[in-house]
Amino acid sequence: MPRLSLSMSCFDKFIGLWYEVGVISNSDVFMKPKFSIKIGVMLTALNQGGIFTMMIYDKYGQCVLEQFLAIPMGIPGKYRIPHSREFQVMGTDYENYAILEFVLLLKKKRHIVTKLYSRNSSPKPNDINIFKEFWAERDYTEEQIYMLQTDEKCTKMILYVPRRKHVIRSIGRN
């Protein structure tokens, strides 16, 4: 898998619309509802030295909208987000796929979920293979990886959510 050297100067290639299409985790916090997980969407834009992020995803049959400013943590590609969470871009080619690792601190325990994002709702086979290589390198098992169910109910909501001007400009990049 291509290793990442992400700086803010090249991060403008990362902004725009991404579909959440795959998930890996060894934490029940993320994988308990495994068979009801549906495709989600993420929109990113540079803002105030960080990354404005909007996510819409399915949680127990309901569409959830999150908007936050991710603040750089001093390590290339690593950001702090609200509610004791952080994420790191583990790999991307900027045009087709991105692999992000999210960490949630809950009751003093770290829960990790790694997600595959694609520029469209149907990832390319090569991108899925890169994701599988990633989980194999990390000693995950087949039971801990899940390709999300295609369902446009929540992803279509991105079209109707009011956006700040800088986010609207980002959409035009895709």
Side-chain angles (χ1 to χ4, degrees):
M1 180 177 79
R3 294 295 171 214
L4 183 66
S5 175
L6 188 67
S7 68
M8 288 307 280
S9 62
C10 66
F11 204 84
D12 66 330
K13 297 177 199 172
F14 186 78
I15 64 173
L17 187 65
W18 291 92
Y19 289 87
E20 177 186 352
V21 295
V23 177
I24 307 169
S25 184
N26 58 3
S27 173
D28 285 343
V29 170
F30 296 108
M31 300 307 280
K32 203 176 261 185
K34 179 178 176 177
F35 296 103
S36 65
I37 300 174
K38 297 178 181 159
I39 198 167
V41 67
M42 174 176 72
L43 185 63
T44 59
L46 297 177
N47 184 324
Q48 303 171 3
I51 303 165
F52 174 77
T53 305
M54 179 189 311
M55 296 177 155
I56 301 176
Y57 55 89
D58 179 89
K59 184 174 183 179
Y60 305 114
Q62 299 293 316
C63 296
V64 176
L65 167 67
E66 282 191 69
Q67 297 182 74
F68 52 83
L69 183 64
I71 307 300
M73 294 181 65
I75 298 169
K78 191 168 186 175
Y79 297 86
R80 182 180 358 269
I81 54 180
H83 309 295
S84 301
R85 297 179 295 172
E86 60 188 49
F87 75 87
Q88 184 168 4
V89 181
M90 304 303 288
T92 185
D93 69 354
Y94 301 101
E95 296 175 11
N96 299 299
Y97 80 91
I99 298 173
L100 277 64
E101 187 167 85
F102 291 82
V103 177
L104 167 66
L105 186 61
L106 189 62
K107 297 181 182 178
K108 297 184 181 181
K109 185 176 178 188
R110 290 171 45 97
H111 299 272
I112 299 171
V113 63
T114 305
K115 298 181 178 189
L116 172 63
Y117 288 89
S118 174
R119 288 292 188 180
N120 59 59
S121 59
S122 299
K124 294 179 179 181
N126 185 56
D127 301 337
I128 294 170
N129 288 336
I130 291 169
F131 191 52
K132 288 180 177 181
E133 287 175 24
F134 177 85
W135 66 261
E137 290 174 7
R138 297 271 180 116
D139 294 326
Y140 285 104
T141 65
E142 191 77 32
E143 293 79 38
Q144 294 168 313
I145 185 170
Y146 189 65
M147 299 309 292
L148 303 182
Q149 300 170 14
T150 301
D151 183 330
E152 295 183 350
K153 175 184 160 193
C154 294
T155 58
K156 282 186 173 183
M157 286 182 62
I158 198 83
L159 302 172
Y160 305 105
V161 175
R163 294 176 206 67
R164 299 176 182 161
K165 289 180 184 175
H166 64 275
V167 176
I168 292 171
R169 284 194 300 267
S170 298
I171 294 172
R173 296 184 62 87
N174 293 332

